[in-house]
Amino acid sequence: MTILLETAFALFAGLMMTRVFKYSGFEFPDVTAFLIAGVLVGPYVLGKFHIGFRTPDELAQVNILSNLALGFIAFDIGSEFRMTQLKKMGKVATFIGIFQAVITTILVDIILLSLNLVPVPVAITLGAIASATAPAATLMVVRQFKAKGPVTELLLPIVALDDAAGLVIFAVSIGTAQALMGGSINLISIGINPLIEIISSLILGGLMGIILTYLEKLFFSNTNRLSMTIAFVMMTISLSSIHFYIGKILISFSSLLVCMMLGTAFCNLSEYSEDIMKRSERWSAPLYAVFFVLSGARLELGVFKYNAVIITGIAYILSRCVGKYFGALWSSTAMKCNSDVKKYLGITLFPQAGVALGMVVSAQSLGEEYGGIIRNIILFSVLIYELFGPMLTRWALTKAGEIEPAKPEHKNRLRFK
């Protein structure tokens, strides 16, 4: 079976799994179906019977699709940072978004380091990944059930800020982890290089966004403008892989931050951005599906026979939830938010998927051994979060009085529509 046919089969399996969920009555997000389908068509389940991806090497040959999808995920996140929306966010959303992300990272780091079940670089990287949430799952619940109220109004901008803060935290943490692996811990490797990477990424992404905005004006068709946008995202992903040294200082870029800044600059500067982003969502949907299926296919089921991996995964999930809940509680209390926001906002931040999986791809720079541990723990946690996270989000918003209980006939219409 060729790689192209295997990829097509992976997409087909993911889409069919969404139908299985739908007609079984389970109201899970599509990303959960894609991940489960990926596990099934991966080398550790159906792959053993020569169906789907038979070996990890075959999965490695389609890494370009994962990197491309990762770039578009970051580009979409960047598009949420329009100046008009930033003005509405105010200091409340900004403070809560950043504070709870940092608290979550610190708590997960402390718990994992205390347990001493994984190497220090792995624990540090997992702590950084813990800061990210799943905007797609959260938005799905809000839109599907038409949630409206103080919690929802804060939730949407916080999710975007949370992922942006998470990308910055991840850049610093991965630099620290790489320094620890190299055995040379110094100011340059831990402090200067990650800072240079963040600044360089923002500059490159902003510059590419300005150029894209100018070039879009040369076309009179939004179809051609969309093609130019897709080309620029691909070009930006490629450029972000460049790295070089100036003396002892490493000049490198984070593809996540670069593409996020590209989306931010483009959506604030281009008058055509709103229509282009709507068209881009339609084009990138199959790519996202393949990304999640491939992520699920990389889950090495054999690692769960080791108690250390199971305990670490459970510790990661629980400590992250505690960090999100109390981080949101403390920060919303400091900003004098109402009681519903204090009690329920943290619960709505539990889902985790796309951005975290994107960070996992970047974490492969730590090597196959450490990268494999991180990948399997995060994929395991994502499956748990995506199964229960959206349901908890719905419950929290309902308790806050921002979702009206559906009538029996409405439930049937939602299920079988």
Side-chain angles (χ1 to χ4, degrees), residues 142-395:
V142 171
R143 291 174 180 173
Q144 179 179 357
F145 299 102
K146 299 179 180 179
K148 187 176 181 180
V151 178
T152 304
E153 290 176 1
L154 272 177
L155 173 61
L156 298 181
I158 284 175
V159 166
L161 281 167
D162 175 273
D163 287 328
L167 292 175
V168 175
I169 294 171
F170 179 78
V172 175
S173 297
I174 197 75
T176 304
Q178 290 170 339
L180 291 171
M181 290 179 61
S184 57
I185 304 176
N186 52 63
L187 179 61
I188 292 179
S189 59
I190 294 181
I192 296 179
N193 283 344
L195 181 61
I196 292 294
E197 178 177 300
I198 293 169
I199 295 174
S200 301
S201 299
L202 295 178
I203 291 175
L204 177 59
L207 180 61
M208 294 296 286
I210 293 172
I211 297 173
L212 174 60
T213 299
Y214 175 77
L215 292 178
E216 296 263 305
K217 296 178 181 179
L218 301 178
F219 300 93
F220 301 97
S221 165
N222 277 346
T223 300
N224 288 334
R225 293 188 184 112
L226 173 62
S227 298
M228 178 61 72
T229 302
I230 294 171
F232 253 71
V233 174
M234 293 179 177
M235 194 183 308
T236 301
I237 295 170
S238 179
L239 289 175
S240 64
S241 65
I242 298 173
H243 62 275
F244 54 92
Y245 283 89
I246 298 179
K248 294 183 178 181
I249 297 177
L250 174 64
I251 306 299
S252 61
F253 306 94
S254 165
S255 60
L256 293 172
L257 279 176
V258 173
C259 291
M260 185 187 74
M261 190 60 190
L262 170 67
T264 300
F266 173 64
C267 286
N268 280 286
L269 297 175
S270 175
E271 59 184 297
Y272 312 110
S273 62
E274 189 171 349
D275 183 74
I276 295 299
M277 292 308 299
K278 290 180 181 178
R279 293 170 179 262
S280 176
E281 289 175 5
R282 302 188 190 102
W283 181 89
S284 58
L287 189 62
Y288 290 174
V290 171
F291 173 75
F292 287 119
V293 172
L294 294 178
S295 296
R298 292 188 176 94
L299 178 60
E300 299 177 13
L301 301 180
V303 302
F304 295 110
K305 65 184 179 182
Y306 301 108
N307 291 334
V309 174
I310 297 175
I311 294 173
T312 304
I314 294 174
Y316 171 86
I317 292 172
L318 295 178
S319 59
R320 179 180 176 274
C321 288
V322 171
K324 288 291 180 184
Y325 182 81
F326 284 100
L329 173 63
W330 295 335
S331 55
S332 60
T333 300
M335 299 307 292
K336 300 180 180 179
C337 298
N338 66 38
S339 59
D340 285 337
V341 172
K342 295 175 186 177
K343 287 190 291 185
Y344 301 116
L345 179 61
I347 298 175
T348 64
L349 298 174
F350 287 174
Q352 185 177 50
V355 176
L357 293 174
M359 290 177 178
V360 168
V361 175
S362 298
Q364 300 308 301
S365 62
L366 297 178
E368 182 55 35
E369 180 183 358
Y370 287 177
I373 296 173
I374 293 169
R375 179 176 64 244
N376 286 289
I377 290 174
I378 295 301
L379 286 174
F380 170 74
S381 68
V382 165
L383 282 171
I384 301 300
Y385 281 129
E386 289 302 286
L387 283 171
F388 299 102
M391 290 186 287
L392 288 172
T393 298
R394 178 186 178 184
W395 175 85

Side-chain angles (χ1 to χ4, degrees), residues 7 9 51 86 193 198 243 250 353 377 384 389-390 399 403 414:
T7 304
F9 180 72
I51 301 174
L86 288 174
N193 283 344
I198 293 169
H243 62 275
L250 174 64
I377 290 174
I384 301 300
K399 294 294 288 185
I403 293 179
L414 281 175

